[in-house]
Amino acid sequence: MICPYCKKETKANSTTCQNCGKLIDIKDRKPKNILISIIIICATIVVLALLFVFTVLPMIGKSTDTNTMSERSDTIISTESTSKQPNETSSSSASASPTPTNPGTRMYTSYATMVSYNPATGSAKFDYWDMLKGEEAIAWLIANEGYTQFDAETEVNNYADSEFVKKNTSTNLREIDLRNVSIKLMYHSDGTMVSGAEGTPSTLSDINALYHVDPEKVLKTHYYKIHVDDNERVTLVEQMYAP
């Protein structure tokens, strides 16, 4: 370091000058090494901070985005949609895409949707479901559709007489030979609707003629009630009024 008195170089951090022998006050010594060390430390911190900002943070962001997209994908895959038919307010998601008729499927009296009909053979396939009203409908909406008690009660209590909750938890189809059962339809064979809310007794020829005029009047515009006796024999296929 430089002596403040003789202006000559002397030993660093010495308390006396080796040239003039005078005492060097500590405040007169310039801590160059300390300043250099501080500068080096600060520069190192800045470099590390920049490395963190430009390398580590982008990697964290990409990881978060990937996880978020994965969660959204899982949600989309796991989500099931429900569809509504005339006069039904809600249906179970398990009712989608019924499977073909299983041999030995038990027959019983129930409401059903006709999903296909073959005029050449008189064979019709039905998807069975339960009609729920009142407390049964409320309980179903809470347990299976995510309703609160208040929302379920409010909705069901405001139903018209023709409205109901459709419960369908089976994918089995039941095949019925319409040649061997009584039939009631809400349409005449020419496609005109009957007067009133009760179907008219019809024949296989009537349903074939109606199917030829408009297949949807056989399959989609109204649901059916399948009447079955104690021996699991279908006695009546009745098309129901659906306003």
Side-chain angles (χ1 to χ4, degrees):
M1 71 178 181
I2 303 300
C3 174
Y5 300 104
C6 66
K7 307 300 181 182
K8 294 181 180 180
E9 184 74 25
T10 187
K11 186 177 180 181
N13 298 324
S14 176
T15 56
T16 59
C17 178
Q18 293 175 326
N19 298 308
C20 65
K22 291 185 178 181
L23 180 65
I24 301 175
D25 192 347
I26 190 169
K27 66 181 181 179
D28 293 323
R29 286 178 287 166
K30 297 180 181 180
K32 291 183 180 180
N33 293 337
I34 296 177
L35 289 175
I36 293 173
S37 298
I38 293 174
I39 292 172
I40 293 173
I41 292 172
C42 291
T44 303
I45 293 173
V46 171
V47 171
L48 292 175
L50 291 174
L51 287 174
F52 180 82
V53 170
F54 290 104
T55 59
V56 178
L57 284 182
M59 294 177 62
I60 294 175
K62 289 181 181 180
S63 176
T64 302
D65 292 341
T66 301
N67 292 336
T68 302
M69 292 178 65
S70 177
E71 291 174 359
R72 289 178 179 175
S73 176
D74 292 341
T75 302
I76 293 172
I77 293 172
S78 64
T79 301
E80 295 178 343
S81 61
T82 58
S83 59
K84 295 186 177 181
Q85 299 293 332
N87 291 319
E88 68 184 75
T89 300
S90 177
S91 63
S92 168
S93 58
S95 64
S97 302
T99 57
T101 306
N102 290 335
T105 300
R106 189 174 70 86
M107 301 299 295
Y108 57 92
T109 298
S110 176
Y111 293 100
T113 301
M114 187 188 295
V115 297
S116 67
Y117 177 63
N118 186 347
T121 62
S123 176
K125 291 184 179 180
F126 292 87
D127 183 19
Y128 268 33
W129 46 266
D130 297 328
M131 180 186 294
L132 304 182
K133 293 186 176 183
E135 293 300 324
E136 286 187 336
I138 293 172
W140 174 263
L141 291 177
I142 294 172
N144 297 276
E145 303 295 340
Y147 281 62
T148 64
Q149 180 77 29
F150 176 79
D151 289 341
E153 290 178 352
T154 300
E155 178 166 323
V156 173
N157 291 338
N158 287 324
Y159 281 172
D161 292 340
S162 60
E163 291 182 303
F164 55 87
V165 171
K166 177 181 175 182
K167 173 186 174 183
N168 190 343
T169 57
S170 173
T171 59
N172 291 333
L173 297 182
R174 290 167 169 81
E175 187 170 6
I176 300 174
D177 188 347
L178 299 185
R179 296 174 300 180
N180 302 320
V181 301
S182 297
I183 303 171
K184 280 187 176 183
L185 297 175
M186 292 303 302
Y187 297 95
H188 298 293
S189 59
D190 62 358
T192 59
M193 192 169 180
V194 302
S195 58
E198 185 174 348
T200 184
S202 306
T203 65
L204 186 67
S205 296
D206 292 330
I207 196 170
N208 284 347
L210 178 61
Y211 189 84
H212 178 73
V213 171
D214 188 350
E216 289 197 355
K217 290 183 177 180
V218 175
L219 299 175
K220 295 184 178 181
T221 56
H222 298 276
Y223 58 91
Y224 290 81
K225 185 174 183 179
I226 311 300
H227 298 262
V228 180
D229 63 17
D230 293 338
N231 295 319
E232 297 188 20
R233 185 176 66 89
V234 178
T235 58
L236 172 63
V237 173
E238 180 181 12
Q239 195 175 46
M240 306 298 292
Y241 177 66

